Amino acid sequence: MDFTKLRAAALKDGDDEEAVTVNTRALIDKVLARYSGEWTTLRELLQNAADAQASTVTIKFETLPSAHVPLSNTTDKAEVLKHVLLHHTLRRLLVTNDGLPFGVNDWSRLKRIAEGNPDETKIGAFGVGFYSVFADCEEPFVSSGNEAMAFYWKGNSLFTRRLQLPPAEGNPNTSFVLDYRNTTTPMPNLLSICQFLATSLTFVALQNIELWVDDWQILSLKKKSAPSIAVPIARDVETKTKEGLMKVSNMDRESVQMDATFMNVVGWKPQIPVTPKPGSYDHAYGTTSADVPSLRSFFSRLTSSTSHAQLKTKAMRDEKAIQDIVLENLTGTTTANVFLRVTTAVIKTHIAASFATELERATKKPPPKTTKLAILTASYDEIAASVKENPVAKGVDIFQSVLPGKKPGGRVFIGFPTHQTTGAGMHLSAPSVIPTVERESIDLNARWVRTWNYEMLRVAGIMARLAFSNEMTDLSAKIKRATEQNGHGTKVTKDEIAKFMPEALHTLKTFTFGESTPSSQVSQIIEEAFWTAYKKPSIEIYSTRGVLPTTKVRLATEDLSGFVEGIPVVPEALADGDFVNKLKEFGLITEITIGDVKQELEAKALTKNQLIQFIGWAGRKAITGDIDGPTINSLMDVAVAMTGEVEGSGDIITLGSIKNYLSVNKIPPEVPIPPTTIPFQFTRASSINELQALGWEPLEIVPWLRFLIETNANRPVDQSLSTVSFAAQVLKILSGAWDGLSQSSKATVVNLLQPIAVVPTKSGMKRPGEAFFASVKLFDDLPTVTSCPGVKEKFFAAIGVRKTVDLETIFTRLLSPASKAKQGERATSSRHIELIKYLASVREDIPPEDMRRLKNTPICPAEAGPRGMEATQGTARLYKVSELFEPKDSLRNLGLPILQWPGPPGSYRPGSAEGQFLSNLGIRAFPSVPELIDMMASEDMAVREKSMIYFISNHHINGYAAFEVGSSTKSFLPLEGDQKHLVSPAECFTNQECAVLGFSILKKELHLHANKFGVAMDPPMTECVNRLIAKPPQSKREATILFRYFTSRLGELGPNNVAKIADARIVPVMAKNQTANGYVNEKVADNRDMKHRTPLQCYLGSSSAYAEMFDFVDFGNEANAFLLKCGSRNEPTKLELAALACTEPARLLGIMQSPEKYLSMLRSLADDVSMLKKDKTLWKQMRSSRFLLGSVEIAGSKENGKAGTSTGLEAADAGYDSDPEDVENAPIKQFQLALPSQIVVNDDYNGYRLFKRSLICAPEEDKLETFYLALGSQTLGSLVQEDLRLGQPAEKQGDAVKLRSHVLERSKLFLHEYPRSELKHDSRWLEKNLTVQAVSSISLRRSLRGHHLSHTEKRSAACTHDRHSGYTLFITPGSLDTYQISLAICKILLDRPNQGSYLTFEQFLNLNLYQLRARGYNVERILRAKAAEQRIAEEERRKQLEAEQEELKANEEIWRQQNQVVPAAAARRERSKSSDKPMPGAFGSDSPENSPSPAPQPYPKNRSRGLFSGLKERLGINSGGDEVQDQLQSFLDGPKPPHDHQSDNPPTYDEASKGAVSRPGKGTEQVSSPHAVQQNLVNAIQSSRAHDSSQLFSPPQQQIVKEQATYCDATPSQNITFLAEASNGTRIFIDKNLANSASFLSQNVSALNSFALLLDEVCNVYSLPRKAMHIFYDESGGTIAFNSNGSIFCNFRFFAQLHQKKMESGVAEGRTEAAAYWWIVIAHELAHNLVKEHNAEHSFYTRELLS
């Protein structure tokens, strides 16, 4: 629709024009609703006064006395005033100003709403402000100059009357008289209105405001301004706004003082508020909106903490104190003042004409070309000047909202304060900012207004930045003046910084922007302009060097003032402030860098304290990784320090040359140190890790010592190494650090000290090698160490100070050269004792070389005194200490050389110092084992006994166990019975039983000590075995003794010895010539009485079965254990039995005397067939030996007689047909030995029945049959050759297809019961390789291979195999023998089928699935698979319908193009008369487990073979004249006379439906397209659905067909409920009124399934979804079927009474009749998907469906 044209038409041709009327009262009420703030009327009237250039405004409230509370009789003014405030109500509000009187335009605008003030310099814009007076006043009155105007109402319309007064009677002022609408308005809160007036005076162009209540002057406000000062604008300031609409022209700053003189009653708060009268909604005096109780105050009373309660109590006390002061002089006055700083800027605007037009349209006035903006701040000085000393002035804060630093912070003033805050500590006066209508917020929504206001706010940001810079400049000047006054010159100190810190904090807080309310955009816009006002990215900031730009100031992450105080940093008090955080965020300030520190270090030398601070700082930074190594080095290279206490004095230290620091735990700080080492006083406060992080290493002992030695000549005498005290101090330091030195460092120290006389001795300073320890007192003239306290001896010893006198001196002074002594010569000198005692005292200090010399030098004599006084004399000959023994009596008895140690017995103590020293030199405490063995092998009997007794007694004490005495080859041990003959330990033993093998036995008294001498209990087993084999026992008694001995050592027999004995002939056995049963032994007999056998050839115990065949011995249980270990067994093994059976089967059978025992032996061999196969030679022998037992059946006498008079085949049949209960003439089985290849395994009972007389059969046991087959026997089935002769293939293979499906299905259940090991093929293989084919005849001829015997029989089923095509099962038409089918299939599936498997599979073929499930078989999976097959068939049906629909569309297009006339009743092709009959037997169509019919194939494009072609072929309707044919003909041709039905049968479908079919009228008009009709029929079928389906039933779209009538009939509604599902899934419903549904279901299960299968076939005819078909049952009524929204329901009652009995009788015509009947019924219901009524159109579609 073109609305532009429509609007033009309405304006041109519409009705008469009418003016829009306004309800003035409603309009004013709506406008007042926008004014939500307090004192709106006063605000608007004050603004009008300012616009009129007034200087003074007087506000007066006139009251009415209370009619309920009279004034008490008092003259107290305070009481009267309290009464007025509490009980009087407001009568009138009078507002007077001294501005210019109203002009003509003013009076005119006053009575026009929304006209506004056109003056762009004025604030008023919308023309609705004055009408705020109607909030409380009904009829206001205005007087100004010589005129007055009264307002009055007529209905909802407002009128005015204007009065002109004479000049003499005129009002010099302008007054607004507002009489209150009602007389119940209480007095307002005086404090609240006073604070409002004080805030209003801030920016408004007024000087005085007075507030009166009746005749009481409550408040007088006065505003005074100081002369303004120009604010300079820097060059790099961007004075233009972002959009370029405005520019700051100039700025000035002025200080403003506001004075308030108020009556004390302003601060008075009544303690008990007066309860308002009922029905009154006014607050009492003293209450404001802030006094309304809130949930927060309520819960705070419940949850307040102790601290909160304390604060509340203090506030209450302070409030009470103020109230007490106020009440003392309620009518007295108090004066308060406040000082403010106002910065005003002149703004020039540059806007386009289009923009100005849009603004003028929005504001009713053109935008100003020049305007002013002002920001109000409270500087630190002005706040200090505003401090109130009067307690009333403090408690009653009149200027609470004036100071921007107090809550809620700075506000935006558009003449008067709005609700919008600035987010910073400043007020913004912006009269040119465009507010919302109620003037309480800034308009940031309207398009053009928003842009204007944004620019105004950006100007405010630029002004704020300029004001901030001006404030910081003033602060910088103050700091400079204070620095000069304090005498610090230009250097700013911490004192000045601390003094002005509060002012700096105040300034930064003032210009720190937070979030503004209610619009957060305001503060964001102002702040953005604030930070971007300067072109350079820099701003002034307060630092430790005064006010500087941020480019020169740094943030100190830590205090570096200790050594780089010249870097200006932000003071700590400011560092965490919001302003500095902004600087960090914007990147305007950075932290102190290393470059800053380096620059500061280059500028001057560090003092002592600064050096300490710098080293500590650098170390901490280095250790934390904040500064890397190269940076540390660069700092060190430029750092220079002076070591003096006074700045600039002392030595110079360049840190770049320092390499080491002093570790005082090694080297004390008072000793001289190298110049590359930092003195300790500068590193005292630093940790070792910090110093090392700087790259310094600790000063080590070696470099320090080398420095002392190299600079020794240049140092003072008191620090020279030649001075005793200094040398002693150095040696003490070296001694203390000695243990911590490395070996190389120790060696260096030794090398450095050895050539220097640094050791103080009593003979003067000596080199270390020339000095001796003070403990060396052997000679008096030795130079021993003195004056070295605290020096460790081990240090002296390490550097070469001697602890001992050299041996040459000792030998010279103490031991005179010994003359060569002769053998036996004695000496009495004991000088060796003195020598040993001295050496023992200094043994720790004797050098290793001297110790070795002492050990190799003869220095001691041996004892040579008489018996009992041996120690009194010594030999003249001197011995090495290692050649002598300790002085002990036990050793003296052995005749060993004993050390001469004069003194009483016991004077020599091995644990003494001398004894230990002698032990170090090698004195012997006892003789060695070889020495004792030599003595025990002595020819002297006494020596032998003493040495043996000593050896045994001291074996443990002297540790002789460590020596292997048994390895000695010397003969020193006596034997039992022959003590003169001595042998070595290896030649004798302690076990007397081994003597039977000829071994020697140790003397019995020494058996307890045999282990000490290394004598074994028994000889080595190998030796025993060798002696046994070399000389086997010759009798049973001898063998028993020998074998018992070996049994006692059975655990020592190793595998090698056991193998050696097992093959040795050591077992004596008595010879025998024949067995106990009298059979001649086939082996050659040994005629000797005794013979020896190996243990492997012997068996232990006795055996009645095998005694004649094998050698059995018995030497007793103990001796038999030895033979059992060596290979003898209790009975022959399977391998031995098998070998015996192969070589002597007849003898073995004769010994066992029973075929059953022989078979038992074969069974045992069969159990270990795998072991037998491993012996390939034996297995080969078994396959070629006649040792297997088979049976031959010998016929009875009657059979022999029959056989004599008939042929071989006849005899076999006669034998088969004989009576099995004829025991007398039953056949006899004869067992005989035969080759494995001569025996057959009977796996074909029919073949055995035919050819049993020519067969040797294996025993019918699975185990033996498997054993026989493994040895080479053949199965009978492999010998019987079958020749299958087949007739011609049958024309119809339907039965074969069904049989194949049936066999495959049942084979899965059948094979589930068998283990996989017994299967030849599984069901999957069978499905791929089995084919079933029907042939006219089958005959089977059997013949036995190698014999001229054969037999022929007729069969109904047989199976063949072809390498390419697999297995084929042939069947003949007619009745099938399922046993023959089972026989053929089992041979394919099972490895070894038997009769039981044949019969089992036969049952699987005969029983249906439900019968199998009743027998416990799990058939649910098959049932589910059938359901899945049905779903697949359903999908195929759907695809077929879609294809047909596409075909119909194509044909319809051809029809339209050709526009041919086709008769309404098209010719139908004759259908094929052949029909597929169901397979007989168990595979009939009534079986519930049958697979669904194959999905219909796609139809050809010929219409006669369309959707419903082939109907008669499916249902078998080939003949006419029956009832079904009559019904069909009647339904298609029109109404017929109804049939006569019996009373107990339901009516026919035509009778029940009562539908009449009218014939189409005659005419020559064109007939409808047949494709359109066909499309409607397809739509009807597709619209069918399952009952209760989630799919909605949508009646199909029809194409108009002319061949139809127009009458209707109704379908009865049904009252049914769901009962169950049939076997094929069809849902069954019953009448809700049916009494016993369970009984009905149990009685009609089979019939319901048959009915469901029948309906399923009919659904396939129509390609109808199976889910759309349902069964229902009712006990009465005429409904055969009905269609419920596409779901078809068929009545089971009609089926049960009309068709059930005929179908159960098996007559084919019965099923055909039922199928035809329900085929018509379903066609009728399908037509209802197109037409609901029973009319001609419905009949037409029914006929079309049937056709």
Side-chain angles (χ1 to χ4, degrees), residues 1440-1492:
Q1440 174 188 343
L1441 288 177
E1442 292 177 354
E1444 290 185 0
Q1445 192 164 4
E1446 294 296 329
E1447 179 184 351
L1448 289 175
K1449 291 180 181 179
N1451 293 338
E1452 177 67 20
E1453 184 66 27
I1454 296 174
W1455 171 269
R1456 291 176 181 176
Q1457 295 175 1
Q1458 296 177 354
N1459 197 21
Q1460 296 177 354
V1461 179
V1462 181
R1468 303 177 181 87
R1469 288 192 176 186
E1470 184 177 358
R1471 298 167 177 80
S1472 174
K1473 297 183 179 181
S1474 61
S1475 62
D1476 292 338
K1477 295 184 179 181
M1479 196 181 95
F1483 308 99
S1485 60
D1486 57 347
S1487 178
E1489 67 271 18
N1490 282 337
S1491 301

Side-chain angles (χ1 to χ4, degrees), residues 717-791:
V717 177
D718 57 344
Q719 294 182 355
S720 174
L721 292 176
S722 59
T723 303
V724 174
S725 60
F726 185 72
Q729 182 183 9
V730 172
L731 292 176
K732 183 178 179 181
I733 294 172
L734 296 176
S735 173
W738 183 256
D739 293 336
L741 297 179
S742 64
Q743 293 299 326
S744 60
S745 298
K746 289 179 180 180
T748 304
V749 171
V750 171
N751 292 333
L752 290 173
L753 293 178
Q754 279 182 351
I756 301 174
V758 73
V759 180
T761 67
K762 63 182 181 179
S763 300
M765 300 297 289
K766 297 291 184 182
R767 297 185 181 92
E770 299 172 347
F772 289 86
F773 280 92
S775 59
V776 180
K777 300 178 180 180
L778 190 59
F779 307 108
D780 295 334
D781 55 349
L782 294 177
T784 56
V785 177
T786 60
S787 302
C788 292
V791 181

Side-chain angles (χ1 to χ4, degrees), residues 279-300:
S280 174
Y281 299 96
D282 297 319
H283 294 291
Y285 173 78
T287 61
T288 63
S289 60
D291 297 327
V292 177
S294 63
L295 285 177
R296 177 180 298 177
S297 63
F298 171 75
F299 286 112
S300 66

Side-chain angles (χ1 to χ4, degrees), residues 1555-1581:
V1557 180
S1558 62
R1559 300 184 181 276
K1562 299 179 180 180
T1564 60
E1565 60 179 340
Q1566 292 183 350
V1567 300
S1568 300
S1569 166
H1571 308 296
V1573 177
Q1574 189 74 0
Q1575 180 63 53
N1576 288 345
L1577 299 183
V1578 171
N1579 293 343
I1581 294 173

Side-chain angles (χ1 to χ4, degrees), residues 949-1253:
I949 292 172
Y950 180 85
F951 176 79
I952 295 172
S953 302
N954 297 278
H955 185 273
H956 177 70
I957 297 174
N958 296 341
Y960 291 154
F963 187 84
E964 295 183 4
V965 181
S967 62
S968 177
T969 58
K970 288 190 176 183
S971 300
F972 62 93
L973 294 176
L975 298 176
E976 179 67 25
D978 188 4
Q979 296 186 8
K980 294 183 180 181
H981 182 61
L982 301 178
V983 296
S984 66
E987 295 175 344
C988 61
F989 305 95
T990 61
N991 190 353
Q992 296 183 359
E993 294 183 2
C994 67
V996 70
L997 292 172
F999 292 101
S1000 300
I1001 306 301
L1002 180 67
K1003 184 178 180 181
K1004 190 173 184 180
E1005 288 80 0
L1006 297 178
H1007 282 190
L1008 292 175
H1009 310 290
N1011 60 335
K1012 298 175 182 178
F1013 294 106
V1015 176
M1017 180 178 178
D1018 293 289
M1021 180 55 69
T1022 302
E1023 181 63 23
C1024 295
V1025 170
N1026 293 335
R1027 293 195 180 191
L1028 174 62
I1029 295 173
K1031 187 179 179 181
Q1034 298 301 318
S1035 64
K1036 182 177 181 180
R1037 178 177 177 278
E1038 185 179 350
T1040 300
I1041 296 173
L1042 271 173
F1043 294 164
R1044 282 179 180 173
Y1045 172 71
F1046 279 98
T1047 300
S1048 65
R1049 301 182 62 188
L1050 207 58
E1052 303 177 37
L1053 281 173
N1056 295 333
N1057 289 329
V1058 169
K1060 186 185 295 185
I1061 297 173
D1063 293 331
R1065 293 180 178 274
I1066 61 170
V1067 184
V1069 179
M1070 296 296 294
K1072 53 183 180 294
N1073 292 327
Q1074 68 186 56
T1075 64
N1077 295 313
Y1079 289 91
V1080 179
N1081 196 331
E1082 296 178 4
K1083 297 181 179 181
V1084 180
D1086 190 359
N1087 295 326
R1088 291 181 296 173
D1089 294 338
M1090 181 66 68
K1091 58 183 177 181
H1092 287 84
R1093 296 279 189 241
T1094 65
L1096 291 174
Q1097 296 172 338
C1098 298
Y1099 300 94
L1100 304 177
S1102 59
S1103 174
S1104 58
Y1106 303 117
E1108 296 298 326
M1109 294 177 285
F1110 301 98
D1111 293 321
F1112 282 83
V1113 295
D1114 188 0
F1115 299 103
N1117 292 336
E1118 190 174 355
N1120 287 349
F1122 167 67
L1123 295 178
L1124 191 64
K1125 175 77 172 180
C1126 295
S1128 297
R1129 292 170 299 280
N1130 294 320
E1131 62 180 12
T1133 63
K1134 301 293 178 65
L1135 294 174
E1136 293 170 343
L1137 282 177
L1140 182 62
C1142 291
T1143 55
E1144 301 179 82
R1147 175 172 173 267
L1148 188 59
L1149 180 61
I1151 292 172
M1152 292 185 175
Q1153 297 181 351
S1154 170
E1156 181 58 34
K1157 291 184 179 180
Y1158 195 87
L1159 289 177
S1160 179
M1161 185 268 296
L1162 292 178
R1163 292 188 192 100
S1164 66
L1165 295 179
D1167 290 335
D1168 294 311
V1169 66
S1170 59
M1171 181 185 66
L1172 296 175
K1173 286 182 178 181
K1174 293 180 181 179
D1175 192 340
K1176 296 182 180 179
T1177 303
L1178 176 61
W1179 185 254
K1180 183 177 181 181
Q1181 185 180 2
M1182 291 173 66
R1183 291 175 63 91
S1184 60
S1185 299
R1186 190 185 299 272
F1187 80 100
L1188 292 182
L1189 198 61
S1191 64
V1192 178
E1193 186 172 319
I1194 307 298
S1197 59
K1198 290 184 178 181
E1199 293 187 28
N1200 290 334
K1202 292 179 181 180
T1205 60
S1206 61
T1207 62
L1209 291 174
E1210 293 172 349
D1213 291 337
Y1216 178 73
D1217 296 333
S1218 62
D1219 186 4
E1221 296 183 359
D1222 189 0
V1223 180
E1224 181 178 355
N1225 295 297
I1228 301 173
K1229 285 187 177 181
Q1230 180 182 6
F1231 287 95
Q1232 64 184 40
L1233 296 170
L1235 292 171
S1237 60
Q1238 295 174 341
I1239 300 176
V1240 297
V1241 175
N1242 184 8
D1243 63 340
D1244 185 358
Y1245 186 74
N1246 291 328
Y1248 175 74
R1249 174 177 60 83
L1250 298 174
F1251 308 116
K1252 60 185 176 180
R1253 296 182 181 178

Side-chain angles (χ1 to χ4, degrees), residues 733-1009:
I733 294 172
L734 296 176
S735 173
W738 183 256
D739 293 336
L741 297 179
S742 64
Q743 293 299 326
S744 60
S745 298
K746 289 179 180 180
T748 304
V749 171
V750 171
N751 292 333
L752 290 173
L753 293 178
Q754 279 182 351
I756 301 174
V758 73
V759 180
T761 67
K762 63 182 181 179
S763 300
M765 300 297 289
K766 297 291 184 182
R767 297 185 181 92
E770 299 172 347
F772 289 86
F773 280 92
S775 59
V776 180
K777 300 178 180 180
L778 190 59
F779 307 108
D780 295 334
D781 55 349
L782 294 177
T784 56
V785 177
T786 60
S787 302
C788 292
V791 181
K792 300 176 183 178
E793 292 186 355
K794 63 180 178 180
F795 171 69
F796 276 142
I799 64 175
V801 178
R802 304 182 59 124
K803 285 187 177 182
T804 60
V805 183
D806 58 283
L807 292 182
E808 290 296 335
T809 304
I810 293 174
F811 292 156
T812 302
R813 294 191 180 190
L814 294 180
L815 298 178
S816 60
S819 59
K820 294 182 180 180
K822 298 180 181 178
Q823 187 69 26
E825 185 178 355
R826 293 178 174 85
T828 58
S829 175
S830 60
R831 287 179 297 176
H832 65 283
I833 302 300
E834 296 178 8
L835 175 61
I836 290 172
K837 287 182 178 182
Y838 166 72
L839 293 176
S841 64
V842 296
R843 65 183 183 278
E844 298 296 333
D845 304 321
I846 299 177
E849 288 294 330
D850 291 351
M851 285 295 294
R852 285 193 292 271
R853 184 177 176 186
L854 285 172
K855 290 179 181 179
N856 296 325
T857 302
I859 59 175
C860 295
E863 290 182 346
R867 186 176 182 80
M869 300 175 64
E870 292 86 351
T872 57
Q873 294 181 5
T875 60
R877 176 192 168 193
L878 296 180
Y879 294 84
K880 298 178 183 178
V881 176
S882 59
E883 295 175 345
L884 300 176
F885 291 86
E886 293 179 353
K888 297 178 182 177
D889 290 338
S890 59
L891 299 178
R892 291 188 182 100
N893 293 334
L894 296 177
L896 298 173
I898 305 300
L899 172 67
Q900 182 197 12
W901 195 264
S907 59
Y908 177 82
R909 297 188 305 276
S912 63
E914 295 80 5
Q916 294 178 2
F917 179 71
L918 288 173
S919 297
N920 292 336
L921 294 180
I923 193 170
R924 303 180 63 186
F926 51 84
S928 63
V929 173
E931 290 174 334
L932 288 175
I933 290 176
D934 290 340
M935 286 189 283
M936 287 186 287
S938 173
E939 295 180 357
D940 188 348
M941 180 68 69
V943 173
R944 288 209 305 265
E945 289 180 359
K946 290 180 181 179
S947 59
M948 188 167 290
I949 292 172
Y950 180 85
F951 176 79
I952 295 172
S953 302
N954 297 278
H955 185 273
H956 177 70
I957 297 174
N958 296 341
Y960 291 154
F963 187 84
E964 295 183 4
V965 181
S967 62
S968 177
T969 58
K970 288 190 176 183
S971 300
F972 62 93
L973 294 176
L975 298 176
E976 179 67 25
D978 188 4
Q979 296 186 8
K980 294 183 180 181
H981 182 61
L982 301 178
V983 296
S984 66
E987 295 175 344
C988 61
F989 305 95
T990 61
N991 190 353
Q992 296 183 359
E993 294 183 2
C994 67
V996 70
L997 292 172
F999 292 101
S1000 300
I1001 306 301
L1002 180 67
K1003 184 178 180 181
K1004 190 173 184 180
E1005 288 80 0
L1006 297 178
H1007 282 190
L1008 292 175
H1009 310 290

